[in-house]
Every structure is written in C-alpha cells, then in structure tokens.
Amino acid sequence: MLKGKVHKYGDNVDTDVIIPARYLTTTDKKELASHCMADMDADFINRVVPGDIMVAGWNFGCGSSREHAPIAIKASGISCVIAKSFARIFYRNAINIGLPIMECREAAEDIECGDIVSVDMKEGIIINHTKEKEYRAVGFPDFMQKIIDADGLVGYTKKEM
Amino acid sequence: MGMTMTQKILANSAGAGAVEPGQFIMADLDLVLGNDVTTPVAIEEFKKMGKAGVFDTKKVAIVPDHFTPNKDIKAAEQCRLIREFAHEMGIENYFEIGEMGIEHALIPEKGLVVAGDVVIGADSHTCTYGALGAFATGVGSTDMAAGMATGKAWFKVPEGIKFILTGRKQKWVSGKDIILHIIGMIGVDGALYKSMEYTGEGISELSMDDRFTIANMAIEAGAKNGIFEVDEKTIAYMEEYSTKQYEIFRADEDAQYSEVYEIDLGKIRPTVAFPHLPENTRTIDEVGDITIDQVVIGSCTNGRLEDLRIAASILKGRKVKKGVRTIIFPATQKIYLDALREGLIEIFIEAGAVVSTPTCGPCLGGHMGILAKGERAISTTNRNFIGRMGHKESEVYLASPAVAAASAITGKISSPEEVL
Ligand code: SF4
C-alpha cells in the first residue's frame, strides 16, 4: 500500500516541464530528480517527501520519449502518479521502469493538493483519507501486470530470454 | 473484421493472421533506434539484461544529434559512451559527426526504413517514418534496450483514425500547415493510443517531404503512429534511397476506424500554433501583431531540402529584419550539401541568416540558439511547450518554413503574401 501527500497539476503536463532538456546530459537519477518539475513548479523538489503522490489531469507526460521523466519523478520520492489519462510513451516507460501509475478520472478530479491519499495497486483502489472517499482505477491488462510483477521490462526480458 | 494499415503491419510482424484493437502482441523489429540522450540510459538497462550482443548489428541505429557537436563536457561524455558501445557491439549504423544528421531525416535518407517495416526508436518523433508506409513509433530507453537485446517489442494493437485528404492545397501551404490544422482540430490528445492513417486522392499531390512532416507530428496529437498509404512517390523514394525489400500493406475495405475525417486541402490556410501547446492554432489571417526576436528554420519536422528551398525563395534578394536572429539548420549533411550546391546557403547568408551544422540544437533548447526570458521565436520545429527553447518565460510559435521566412523579413509573424 502506497501512501502520501498529494502534489497536484493540470492537463497536458509535458516531459519538457517534468525534466527540461537542458538537464538531459546525465543519467544520474538523483541529479535528474533535483530538476524534476523545474519549469512548472520550481519548489516541488524542496517540498516532496518520499511516498508522496502526484495527481494530474489529461494526457500526463506528453511530448518526448525521454525516460528521464518517469526516472526523475520516481527518484524524487513520488510513489505513484494518478492521472485522468497518460500520454502513451510515458505510460509505457512508467510500466517498463516500475513507476506505479493509475488512470482514474474521478480521483484525478476530486483529489486536491495536500490531500493524504493511499493507493492499492493490486486492487486498483485509491483512498482519499482527507476527504474520506474511495475511487476505483482502471486495472492493468494481464500482459502489463506480468511486466509490473517482474519489476519492469528488464526483469521481464531476462525471464523471457 | 477488416484491418487498418497499421493493424496489418503489426499482424504480419507478430506472425499472426489477424489482430484486433486492444490485443497485446510481440512484434519482430526491423530497426531499433536511439540518440545521444536516450541511448546512455538504454545501455545501462541493456547491461542489466545480461546479453552479450545486440540481436542484429545491421538493425540497430544510433545517431548522436541532440547535443552534438558536443555542447559541453557532459554531452561529450554521453557521446563517448554511445560511441564506445556502438563500436563494442559492432553496430553498423552508428553515424558520427560528419555523416550524421537529425535522426528522423537521416534514417530514411540512409534507406534504413521501407514500407511494411516495424521500427521502434527511443525518440518520440520516430513516427516520422510512417510517411513511407512503415509502422514506426517512439518508445523509451528501456524498450530500446529490450529491442536491442531481443529484436522484439510489445505493442497494444491501436485503433485507427482515418484522414481522407481531398483537393489541392493553396500556394504557401505545406505539410506543416496541414498537420497543425489537424492538431488544432483534434487536440494534443485527440489521437491518444491510436494510429493516424492518411489516404485519399489529396495525398498524391503531397511531396515525400510534406508527408514526413505530417507523420512526424503524429505524436503531437498523442498518436502511437502516423502512416501514409504507399503510392508511386513512396516507391520512387524507396528505390532511390534504399536497397531493402519493401512490402505494401493497404487497409481492408471494411477496416474499422474510431473516427473518419475528410479534409479538403484547398481550405487550409497557413497555420501557426501559439504557445504553449501545438493545438493552440490560428490561421495566418488571425494571428494579429506578434513581434519576434528569433526565427528557427530546420529540425526533423522541417529541415529537409524542400523546406530550405521554400525559405530561400522568400529570402532571396531580401534582408532579415535588423535584430531578428535567423537560424537555419539543414537536417542532414546531404541536405546541407544539396542546399549548398543549389545556392540556397548563399541566399541565406546574404539575407543575414546564420546556417548551422545539422543538430537538434535549438529545437529542444539544447544549444545553438537558446531564448532568454521574455523572448519570442517563430520556429518550424514541432513543440512549443513551456521552456522548450530556453527560458521558461520565453515563447515559441510553430509554423511552416514559408511563414517563418516571411516573418524573418518583417520581424513579426507574417504571411509570405505580405512579403512578396
Ligand atoms: S529536431 Fe527536435 S524534435 Fe526532432 S529529434 Fe531533434 S530534438 Fe527531437
């Protein structure tokens, strides 16, 4: 069970604001995390504590294919991203690197900045403790669940190879 | 049930007779691509997979283009890493400075993709190759790593949106205006998880360069891929540039599409996308008075020879407005050389523009033309997100080479009609 305080953003949060291209000259996770959300919410990295949850609107992670975006979010301490929808490459990357994500329109609409939220990935349930509400997320298809269970695509590929 | 072009290619690559939208498949890959930003991460993941070599040394391509020629020591270290990896793995299609170009202009020009291929690239604009009737899509670094290790990738079979193009485009309208018009119409997530399939008699008058531009920006509508029906122009292009065997897949008569749009090319006006999303489009007649500090003509979207010819036809014998920094970057060495031989480079320099070596450079705010706080650029690139070309309080307006060149002369966003 993942539990934390919510950082909330709007629609179309793109990978350029999640991690601006000028910081892509490294693969160091901590360094990438230190610039996470730099152009949209410069103070995010000072506020975030391990376990916190990111909530956003439609088309989260649109734009480039940079895996540095989910890597930076994960390394910043965020335990799960909930959105109304995800851009497809971001969605893939998150599954592949083992960043928990959930698609849930109702939760993304309802949850506010600062709410305390917990997420049960297996059951697809999101609980808003501040508002005392429960939401049901879209489940993962079996195939993706296998990648998730293998801790991402590296684990899955090793098993299949 | 009938299949779309994309579904047919995917079924073929998965060795399945038929596939359905939503189905998960494992596809055999014809090419796996990466660049200097995404490959370093892929190499780390590849090593974790414990495979000694790549699945096929001919079917992996690595192009250092984003921060090259290396903009600083960190960029140089990343390029060294991928260069050494390419060497160690015996990867044939590693393109060093001198032979490189922006990957999505370079790969088709090198003949590495043909109709019917399945291509993944750790770069979102890999969808460009759909212009050739291939299935090509952007993925992340871990997918690239798994692709290099196994020659396979997993896909969820997408639904399709059909765009039937009709009519003839007006003067000064090009592929860029068509795709900006479409994104303005369906929105930046209008094609999320879907393929955008182009057909209709209107495509016959689109050049290959127009088609590359249109397929390139499928990702800006959230699509998995964009794909054009193969015609004589596609075949002529493949025969000129490639020795690979191609296979043509056409949609079934009864293929199911989630949406069908008919677009009369004759009704499209030069179109500009305002900050900070590609869907914020207005026609040139609606832009109003917008002064600019910088003009960028180039990128994987509009850095091909035809783009440079259009820009040169407008800049010829004219001067860019004093104080407007005009940066032109041909997308590959070949395009650069062709432009030089045709006298286009001379026209640009005489007009007061600078011509850069092929690089992604300013397109992603990397180097070679970064914007300061409050500055505004008109650019032929594909993204105008916050901070994309520099300071988070700078602005990018997306347009065609014709509009960008005209704007360079007037110092404000202008139609070519105003200048000529
Ligand atoms: S030119 Fe721009 S959009 Fe194209 S590959 Fe380079 S950075 Fe990406």
Side-chain angles (χ1 to χ4, degrees):
Chain A
M1 183 82 99
L2 309 167
K3 187 171 179 181
K5 193 160 67 37
V6 165
H7 302 258
K8 177 127 190 219
Y9 301 99
D11 294 339
N12 301 312
V13 173
D14 63 78
T15 55
D16 275 281
V17 299
I18 296 173
I19 178 83
R22 59 185 180 277
Y23 303 122
L24 299 182
T25 50
T26 180
T27 58
D28 184 79
K29 295 181 170 58
K30 280 273 157 293
E31 194 181 332
L32 289 170
S34 73
H35 304 297
C36 188
M37 309 305 283
D39 283 358
M40 180 176 251
D41 179 5
D43 191 46
F44 164 77
I45 201 63
N46 304 320
R47 292 194 321 268
V48 67
V49 298
D52 279 2
I53 288 171
M54 200 179 264
V55 179
W58 299 109
N59 203 23
F60 185 87
C62 62
S64 98
S65 68
R66 60 189 75 155
E67 210 160 282
H68 312 69
I71 291 173
I73 291 174
K74 195 177 175 191
S76 76
I78 288 290
S79 66
C80 180
V81 184
I82 300 166
K84 289 185 192 167
S85 68
F86 291 90
R88 64 159 283 275
I89 306 179
F90 185 94
Y91 186 95
R92 234 185 134 90
N93 287 347
I95 302 279
N96 285 347
I97 71 158
L99 168 68
I101 53 170
M102 288 237 152
E103 222 172 64
C104 182
R105 182 176 173 168
E106 201 198 342
E109 221 144 72
D110 217 41
I111 295 171
E112 285 177 274
C113 205
D115 284 0
I116 302 296
V117 164
S118 62
V119 174
D120 183 335
M121 288 294 291
K122 276 257 175 299
E123 298 298 323
I125 290 168
I126 300 165
I127 299 164
N128 186 338
H129 300 278
T130 310
K131 292 199 163 58
E132 295 180 354
K133 277 175 101 168
E134 198 177 295
Y135 322 92
R136 192 157 275 280
V138 180
F140 292 103
D142 287 350
F143 179 81
M144 269 179 210
Q145 194 59 49
K146 277 190 204 149
I147 298 179
I148 295 166
D149 293 344
D151 278 333
L153 191 63
V154 171
Y156 179 85
T157 306
K158 270 167 98 172
K159 253 196 344 223
E160 297 291 305
M161 254 177 355
Chain B
M1 196 175 81
M3 290 188 282
T4 65
M5 284 185 261
T6 300
Q7 290 160 3
K8 278 195 161 170
I9 297 175
L10 288 176
N12 179 61
S13 71
V19 293
E20 276 180 28
Q23 186 182 335
F24 284 85
I25 57 152
M26 267 293 173
D28 285 331
L29 300 172
D30 297 291
L31 189 71
V32 178
L33 168 74
N35 60 44
D36 52 326
V37 166
T38 56
T39 310
V41 179
I43 293 171
E44 284 177 18
E45 302 308 308
F46 180 84
K47 292 200 166 138
K48 285 185 207 156
M49 288 171 193
K51 191 96 188 288
V54 298
F55 81 107
D56 187 331
T57 54
K58 286 189 176 60
K59 292 185 178 173
V60 176
I62 298 177
V63 188
D65 58 358
H66 278 56
F67 296 131
T68 56
N70 305 143
K71 73 158 181 146
D72 56 20
I73 295 170
K74 283 174 137 187
E77 292 295 340
Q78 283 197 309
C79 285
R80 184 167 62 92
L81 193 81
I82 65 173
R83 181 180 305 122
E84 285 172 2
F85 176 77
H87 191 74
E88 189 190 324
M89 293 291 142
I91 290 168
E92 288 180 19
N93 296 303
Y94 169 75
F95 298 100
E96 192 51 89
I97 304 289
E99 53 183 1
M100 58 71 88
I102 300 172
E103 54 199 296
H104 309 306
L106 187 72
I107 297 295
E109 184 188 284
K110 294 284 179 192
L112 294 175
V113 182
V114 290
D117 279 355
V118 173
V119 179
I120 61 165
D123 190 279
S124 58
H125 292 101
T126 301
C127 52
T128 308
Y129 320 136
L132 292 165
F135 171 81
T137 192
V139 296
S141 297
T142 301
D143 275 312
M144 179 193 178
M148 287 194 296
T150 64
K152 289 180 189 295
W154 64 269
F155 296 111
K156 188 163 124 186
V157 176
E159 287 187 299
I161 304 180
K162 185 171 173 177
F163 295 89
I164 306 169
L165 307 185
T166 63
R168 297 182 68 86
K169 55 187 169 61
Q170 301 172 15
K171 189 168 170 63
W172 302 122
V173 168
S174 64
K176 184 60 160 288
D177 304 294
I178 298 169
I179 188 62
L180 287 177
H181 171 83
I182 289 174
I183 296 166
M185 185 172 79
I186 68 173
V188 291
D189 59 356
L192 195 62
Y193 301 124
K194 295 179 184 175
S195 48
M196 299 169 81
E197 305 213 338
Y198 296 94
T199 176
E201 32 95 13
I203 65 171
S204 65
E205 80 147 305
L206 298 178
S207 67
M208 286 312 294
D209 284 4
D210 280 327
R211 299 180 201 186
F212 282 123
T213 304
I214 293 171
N216 174 271
M217 289 187 72
I219 180 71
E220 271 64 55
K224 181 171 212 137
N225 68 316
I227 188 167
F228 274 82
E229 204 166 75
V230 172
D231 66 4
E232 304 89 68
K233 281 190 190 165
T234 331
I235 293 170
Y237 184 97
M238 292 189 291
E239 281 174 356
E240 183 179 349
Y241 290 97
S242 186
T243 52
K244 280 178 62 172
Q245 185 74 35
Y246 58 83
E247 194 175 350
I248 299 169
F249 292 88
R250 297 193 192 284
D252 290 323
E253 292 273 324
D254 60 342
Q256 303 274 320
Y257 291 90
S258 63
E259 287 116 313
V260 177
Y261 295 98
E262 196 170 315
I263 295 175
D264 179 355
L265 298 180
K267 295 224 172 89
I268 295 177
R269 291 284 296 149
T271 300
V272 178
F274 278 46
H276 291 285
L277 281 178
E279 70 182 18
N280 295 336
T281 55
R282 297 189 200 174
T283 68
I284 194 73
D285 317 295
E286 304 163 337
V287 289
D289 218 23
I290 297 182
T291 55
I292 45 164
D293 304 289
Q294 183 167 298
V295 176
V296 172
I297 298 176
S299 84
C300 61
T301 314
N302 281 122
R304 296 182 181 81
L305 191 60
E306 211 174 83
D307 301 314
L308 302 184
R309 281 185 186 143
I310 293 171
S313 74
I314 293 167
L315 289 168
K316 186 166 186 185
R318 296 187 173 81
K319 290 271 179 218
V320 307
K321 186 165 171 90
K322 201 169 169 48
V324 175
R325 291 119 43 190
T326 305
I327 303 167
I328 298 179
F329 57 121
T332 67
Q333 286 285 90
K334 177 176 168 15
I335 295 166
Y336 199 156
L337 189 57
D338 289 346
L340 187 71
R341 288 186 175 138
E342 280 188 25
L344 310 184
I345 304 293
E346 208 174 307
I347 292 171
F348 296 143
I349 294 175
E350 282 184 344
V354 294
V355 182
S356 145
T357 187
T359 178
C360 291
C363 172
L364 81 160
H367 57 150
M368 309 280 289
I370 305 300
L371 299 174
K373 183 173 174 176
E375 287 189 334
R376 222 179 252 155
I378 186 157
S379 175
T380 69
T381 53
N382 47 42
R383 287 189 179 136
N384 56 353
F385 299 149
I386 292 168
R388 174 71 180 182
M389 261 190 189
H391 195 278
K392 64 182 178 191
E393 286 171 43
S394 60
E395 291 183 348
V396 179
Y397 293 72
L398 305 175
S400 70
V403 170
S407 307
I409 295 166
T410 60
K412 59 187 183 60
I413 299 182
S414 304
S415 162
E417 290 146 5
E418 281 173 52
V419 178
L420 297 182

Short mmCIF file of all heavy atoms in Angstrom, two decimals, chain A residues 3-44:
data_model
loop_
_atom_site.label_atom_id
_atom_site.label_comp_id
_atom_site.label_asym_id
_atom_site.label_seq_id
_atom_site.Cartn_x
_atom_site.Cartn_y
_atom_site.Cartn_z
N LYS A 3 1.25 5.34 0.33
CA LYS A 3 0.50 6.40 0.99
C LYS A 3 1.33 7.68 1.06
O LYS A 3 2.52 7.63 1.35
CB LYS A 3 0.12 5.95 2.41
CG LYS A 3 -0.80 6.93 3.12
CD LYS A 3 -1.32 6.33 4.42
CE LYS A 3 -2.23 7.32 5.14
NZ LYS A 3 -2.73 6.80 6.40
N GLY A 4 0.69 8.80 0.77
CA GLY A 4 1.44 10.05 0.86
C GLY A 4 0.59 11.28 0.60
O GLY A 4 -0.62 11.19 0.37
N LYS A 5 1.25 12.42 0.66
CA LYS A 5 0.61 13.72 0.45
C LYS A 5 0.61 14.03 -1.06
O LYS A 5 1.54 13.68 -1.77
CB LYS A 5 1.39 14.78 1.22
CG LYS A 5 0.66 16.10 1.34
CD LYS A 5 1.20 16.95 2.48
CE LYS A 5 2.56 17.47 2.35
NZ LYS A 5 3.41 17.93 1.53
N VAL A 6 -0.43 14.71 -1.50
CA VAL A 6 -0.60 14.92 -2.94
C VAL A 6 -0.01 16.24 -3.46
O VAL A 6 -0.17 17.30 -2.84
CB VAL A 6 -2.11 14.85 -3.30
CG1 VAL A 6 -2.39 15.41 -4.69
CG2 VAL A 6 -2.60 13.41 -3.18
N HIS A 7 0.66 16.13 -4.61
CA HIS A 7 1.11 17.30 -5.38
C HIS A 7 0.24 17.29 -6.63
O HIS A 7 0.27 16.32 -7.37
CB HIS A 7 2.58 17.17 -5.76
CG HIS A 7 3.48 17.02 -4.58
ND1 HIS A 7 4.22 18.06 -4.07
CD2 HIS A 7 3.71 15.95 -3.76
CE1 HIS A 7 4.89 17.63 -3.01
NE2 HIS A 7 4.61 16.36 -2.81
N LYS A 8 -0.52 18.34 -6.85
CA LYS A 8 -1.49 18.29 -7.94
C LYS A 8 -1.15 19.23 -9.10
O LYS A 8 -0.76 20.37 -8.88
CB LYS A 8 -2.88 18.62 -7.38
CG LYS A 8 -3.96 18.67 -8.43
CD LYS A 8 -5.14 17.81 -8.10
CE LYS A 8 -6.06 17.70 -9.30
NZ LYS A 8 -7.47 17.73 -8.96
N TYR A 9 -1.33 18.73 -10.30
CA TYR A 9 -1.09 19.52 -11.52
C TYR A 9 -2.26 19.37 -12.48
O TYR A 9 -3.14 18.54 -12.27
CB TYR A 9 0.22 19.07 -12.18
CG TYR A 9 1.41 19.22 -11.25
CD1 TYR A 9 1.91 18.13 -10.54
CD2 TYR A 9 1.97 20.47 -11.04
CE1 TYR A 9 2.97 18.27 -9.66
CE2 TYR A 9 3.03 20.63 -10.15
CZ TYR A 9 3.53 19.52 -9.46
OH TYR A 9 4.56 19.69 -8.58
N GLY A 10 -2.21 20.15 -13.58
CA GLY A 10 -3.33 20.19 -14.53
C GLY A 10 -3.21 19.21 -15.68
O GLY A 10 -2.60 18.15 -15.56
N ASP A 11 -3.78 19.61 -16.81
CA ASP A 11 -3.76 18.77 -18.02
C ASP A 11 -2.46 18.95 -18.79
O ASP A 11 -1.79 19.98 -18.67
CB ASP A 11 -4.91 19.17 -18.97
CG ASP A 11 -6.28 18.90 -18.38
OD1 ASP A 11 -6.37 18.06 -17.46
OD2 ASP A 11 -7.24 19.54 -18.83
N ASN A 12 -2.15 17.98 -19.64
CA ASN A 12 -1.03 18.08 -20.59
C ASN A 12 0.31 18.45 -19.95
O ASN A 12 1.06 19.27 -20.48
CB ASN A 12 -1.35 19.11 -21.69
CG ASN A 12 -2.60 18.75 -22.47
OD1 ASN A 12 -2.76 17.61 -22.89
ND2 ASN A 12 -3.49 19.71 -22.63
N VAL A 13 0.59 17.89 -18.80
CA VAL A 13 1.91 18.10 -18.19
C VAL A 13 2.92 17.38 -19.10
O VAL A 13 2.84 16.17 -19.27
CB VAL A 13 1.98 17.53 -16.76
CG1 VAL A 13 3.40 17.61 -16.21
CG2 VAL A 13 1.01 18.27 -15.85
N ASP A 14 3.81 18.15 -19.73
CA ASP A 14 4.68 17.54 -20.74
C ASP A 14 6.04 17.19 -20.16
O ASP A 14 6.43 17.66 -19.09
CB ASP A 14 4.80 18.46 -21.96
CG ASP A 14 5.46 19.77 -21.62
OD1 ASP A 14 6.70 19.79 -21.48
OD2 ASP A 14 4.75 20.79 -21.46
N THR A 15 6.77 16.36 -20.90
CA THR A 15 8.06 15.89 -20.39
C THR A 15 9.09 17.01 -20.33
O THR A 15 10.06 16.92 -19.59
CB THR A 15 8.61 14.73 -21.24
OG1 THR A 15 8.67 15.14 -22.59
CG2 THR A 15 7.75 13.50 -21.11
N ASP A 16 8.88 18.08 -21.11
CA ASP A 16 9.81 19.21 -21.02
C ASP A 16 9.69 19.95 -19.69
O ASP A 16 10.66 20.49 -19.20
CB ASP A 16 9.58 20.20 -22.17
CG ASP A 16 10.35 19.81 -23.43
OD1 ASP A 16 11.55 20.06 -23.48
OD2 ASP A 16 9.73 19.22 -24.33
N VAL A 17 8.50 19.97 -19.11
CA VAL A 17 8.41 20.59 -17.78
C VAL A 17 8.76 19.59 -16.67
O VAL A 17 9.24 19.97 -15.62
CB VAL A 17 7.06 21.30 -17.47
CG1 VAL A 17 6.79 22.41 -18.45
CG2 VAL A 17 5.91 20.34 -17.40
N ILE A 18 8.54 18.32 -16.93
CA ILE A 18 8.90 17.32 -15.91
C ILE A 18 10.42 17.30 -15.75
O ILE A 18 10.94 17.31 -14.64
CB ILE A 18 8.37 15.91 -16.27
CG1 ILE A 18 6.84 15.92 -16.30
CG2 ILE A 18 8.88 14.87 -15.27
CD1 ILE A 18 6.20 14.64 -16.82
N ILE A 19 11.13 17.29 -16.88
CA ILE A 19 12.59 17.39 -16.83
C ILE A 19 13.06 18.10 -18.10
O ILE A 19 13.13 17.50 -19.17
CB ILE A 19 13.28 16.01 -16.58
CG1 ILE A 19 14.80 16.13 -16.58
CG2 ILE A 19 12.85 14.95 -17.57
CD1 ILE A 19 15.39 16.57 -15.28
N PRO A 20 13.38 19.40 -17.98
CA PRO A 20 13.79 20.16 -19.17
C PRO A 20 15.02 19.55 -19.86
O PRO A 20 15.90 19.00 -19.20
CB PRO A 20 14.12 21.54 -18.60
CG PRO A 20 13.36 21.62 -17.33
CD PRO A 20 13.34 20.23 -16.77
N ALA A 21 15.04 19.67 -21.18
CA ALA A 21 16.09 19.03 -21.98
C ALA A 21 17.49 19.46 -21.58
O ALA A 21 18.44 18.68 -21.69
CB ALA A 21 15.86 19.34 -23.45
N ARG A 22 17.61 20.68 -21.06
CA ARG A 22 18.96 21.15 -20.71
C ARG A 22 19.61 20.31 -19.60
O ARG A 22 20.81 20.38 -19.40
CB ARG A 22 18.92 22.63 -20.32
CG ARG A 22 18.02 22.98 -19.16
CD ARG A 22 17.97 24.51 -18.95
NE ARG A 22 17.11 24.88 -17.84
CZ ARG A 22 15.78 25.01 -17.91
NH1 ARG A 22 15.17 24.80 -19.04
NH2 ARG A 22 15.08 25.35 -16.84
N TYR A 23 18.81 19.54 -18.89
CA TYR A 23 19.36 18.68 -17.84
C TYR A 23 19.57 17.23 -18.28
O TYR A 23 19.87 16.37 -17.46
CB TYR A 23 18.46 18.70 -16.60
CG TYR A 23 18.23 20.09 -16.05
CD1 TYR A 23 16.94 20.61 -15.94
CD2 TYR A 23 19.30 20.90 -15.67
CE1 TYR A 23 16.71 21.89 -15.46
CE2 TYR A 23 19.08 22.19 -15.19
CZ TYR A 23 17.79 22.67 -15.09
OH TYR A 23 17.57 23.94 -14.62
N LEU A 24 19.41 16.98 -19.58
CA LEU A 24 19.48 15.58 -20.03
C LEU A 24 20.89 15.11 -20.37
O LEU A 24 21.05 14.11 -21.05
CB LEU A 24 18.57 15.37 -21.25
CG LEU A 24 17.08 15.64 -21.03
CD1 LEU A 24 16.29 15.35 -22.30
CD2 LEU A 24 16.54 14.82 -19.88
N THR A 25 21.88 15.80 -19.87
CA THR A 25 23.24 15.36 -20.15
C THR A 25 23.77 14.44 -19.06
O THR A 25 24.96 14.28 -18.90
CB THR A 25 24.18 16.58 -20.32
OG1 THR A 25 23.98 17.43 -19.21
CG2 THR A 25 23.90 17.33 -21.60
N THR A 26 22.85 13.85 -18.32
CA THR A 26 23.27 12.88 -17.31
C THR A 26 22.26 11.74 -17.23
O THR A 26 21.12 11.91 -17.65
CB THR A 26 23.38 13.55 -15.92
OG1 THR A 26 23.80 12.57 -14.97
CG2 THR A 26 22.04 14.11 -15.47
N THR A 27 22.70 10.60 -16.71
CA THR A 27 21.75 9.52 -16.45
C THR A 27 21.64 9.30 -14.94
O THR A 27 20.97 8.37 -14.49
CB THR A 27 22.21 8.19 -17.10
OG1 THR A 27 23.51 7.87 -16.60
CG2 THR A 27 22.29 8.32 -18.61
N ASP A 28 22.28 10.17 -14.17
CA ASP A 28 22.27 10.03 -12.71
C ASP A 28 20.87 10.35 -12.16
O ASP A 28 20.36 11.47 -12.33
CB ASP A 28 23.31 10.96 -12.10
CG ASP A 28 23.41 10.78 -10.60
OD1 ASP A 28 24.05 9.80 -10.18
OD2 ASP A 28 22.80 11.58 -9.86
N LYS A 29 20.27 9.37 -11.52
CA LYS A 29 18.88 9.51 -11.09
C LYS A 29 18.67 10.65 -10.11
O LYS A 29 17.72 11.43 -10.21
CB LYS A 29 18.39 8.18 -10.50
CG LYS A 29 18.36 7.05 -11.53
CD LYS A 29 17.85 5.76 -10.92
CE LYS A 29 17.58 4.69 -11.96
NZ LYS A 29 18.72 4.31 -12.80
N LYS A 30 19.56 10.76 -9.13
CA LYS A 30 19.43 11.82 -8.11
C LYS A 30 19.55 13.19 -8.75
O LYS A 30 18.82 14.13 -8.42
CB LYS A 30 20.50 11.63 -7.02
CG LYS A 30 20.15 10.57 -6.00
CD LYS A 30 19.31 11.17 -4.87
CE LYS A 30 18.45 10.19 -4.10
NZ LYS A 30 17.33 9.55 -4.79
N GLU A 31 20.49 13.30 -9.68
CA GLU A 31 20.70 14.59 -10.34
C GLU A 31 19.46 14.95 -11.19
O GLU A 31 19.01 16.09 -11.17
CB GLU A 31 21.95 14.53 -11.22
CG GLU A 31 22.41 15.90 -11.68
CD GLU A 31 23.66 15.83 -12.57
OE1 GLU A 31 24.45 14.88 -12.43
OE2 GLU A 31 23.80 16.76 -13.39
N LEU A 32 18.93 13.97 -11.90
CA LEU A 32 17.71 14.22 -12.67
C LEU A 32 16.58 14.65 -11.75
O LEU A 32 15.86 15.61 -12.02
CB LEU A 32 17.31 12.96 -13.46
CG LEU A 32 18.21 12.58 -14.63
CD1 LEU A 32 17.85 11.19 -15.16
CD2 LEU A 32 18.13 13.62 -15.76
N ALA A 33 16.45 13.95 -10.61
CA ALA A 33 15.38 14.28 -9.67
C ALA A 33 15.50 15.71 -9.16
O ALA A 33 14.50 16.39 -8.93
CB ALA A 33 15.40 13.29 -8.50
N SER A 34 16.73 16.18 -9.01
CA SER A 34 16.92 17.53 -8.45
C SER A 34 16.35 18.61 -9.37
O SER A 34 16.15 19.75 -8.96
CB SER A 34 18.40 17.78 -8.15
OG SER A 34 19.10 17.97 -9.35
N HIS A 35 16.06 18.27 -10.64
CA HIS A 35 15.48 19.24 -11.57
C HIS A 35 14.03 18.91 -11.92
O HIS A 35 13.45 19.52 -12.81
CB HIS A 35 16.29 19.27 -12.87
CG HIS A 35 17.74 19.55 -12.67
ND1 HIS A 35 18.18 20.74 -12.13
CD2 HIS A 35 18.85 18.80 -12.90
CE1 HIS A 35 19.51 20.71 -12.06
NE2 HIS A 35 19.93 19.54 -12.51
N CYS A 36 13.46 17.94 -11.21
CA CYS A 36 12.12 17.47 -11.54
C CYS A 36 11.10 18.61 -11.38
O CYS A 36 11.09 19.29 -10.37
CB CYS A 36 11.75 16.30 -10.63
SG CYS A 36 10.24 15.49 -11.08
N MET A 37 10.30 18.84 -12.39
CA MET A 37 9.24 19.87 -12.46
C MET A 37 9.81 21.29 -12.45
O MET A 37 9.07 22.27 -12.23
CB MET A 37 8.22 19.72 -11.31
CG MET A 37 7.62 18.35 -11.12
SD MET A 37 6.85 17.68 -12.61
CE MET A 37 5.30 18.59 -12.65
N ALA A 38 11.10 21.43 -12.74
CA ALA A 38 11.78 22.72 -12.60
C ALA A 38 11.05 23.88 -13.27
O ALA A 38 10.94 24.96 -12.68
CB ALA A 38 13.19 22.61 -13.17
N ASP A 39 10.55 23.69 -14.49
CA ASP A 39 9.97 24.83 -15.19
C ASP A 39 8.49 25.08 -14.88
O ASP A 39 7.91 26.05 -15.37
CB ASP A 39 10.16 24.67 -16.72
CG ASP A 39 11.59 25.00 -17.13
OD1 ASP A 39 12.39 25.38 -16.24
OD2 ASP A 39 11.91 24.86 -18.33
N MET A 40 7.90 24.21 -14.05
CA MET A 40 6.48 24.40 -13.75
C MET A 40 6.28 24.69 -12.28
O MET A 40 5.43 25.48 -11.89
CB MET A 40 5.73 23.13 -14.14
CG MET A 40 4.26 23.21 -13.87
SD MET A 40 3.45 21.73 -14.44
CE MET A 40 2.59 22.38 -15.85
N ASP A 41 7.09 24.04 -11.45
CA ASP A 41 6.91 24.13 -10.01
C ASP A 41 8.31 23.98 -9.38
O ASP A 41 8.67 22.91 -8.90
CB ASP A 41 5.97 22.99 -9.58
CG ASP A 41 5.72 22.97 -8.07
OD1 ASP A 41 6.21 23.89 -7.37
OD2 ASP A 41 5.04 22.03 -7.61
N ALA A 42 9.06 25.07 -9.42
CA ALA A 42 10.48 25.01 -9.05
C ALA A 42 10.68 24.53 -7.61
O ALA A 42 11.70 23.95 -7.27
CB ALA A 42 11.12 26.38 -9.25
N ASP A 43 9.67 24.77 -6.77
CA ASP A 43 9.81 24.41 -5.36
C ASP A 43 9.42 22.96 -5.07
O ASP A 43 9.62 22.47 -3.97
CB ASP A 43 8.94 25.37 -4.52
CG ASP A 43 9.23 25.25 -3.04
OD1 ASP A 43 10.43 25.23 -2.68
OD2 ASP A 43 8.27 25.14 -2.25
N PHE A 44 8.90 22.27 -6.07
CA PHE A 44 8.43 20.88 -5.88
C PHE A 44 9.48 20.02 -5.18
O PHE A 44 9.19 19.33 -4.21
CB PHE A 44 8.06 20.25 -7.23
CG PHE A 44 7.95 18.75 -7.21
CD1 PHE A 44 6.82 18.13 -6.67
CD2 PHE A 44 8.98 17.94 -7.69
CE1 PHE A 44 6.72 16.74 -6.62
CE2 PHE A 44 8.88 16.55 -7.64
CZ PHE A 44 7.75 15.95 -7.10
#
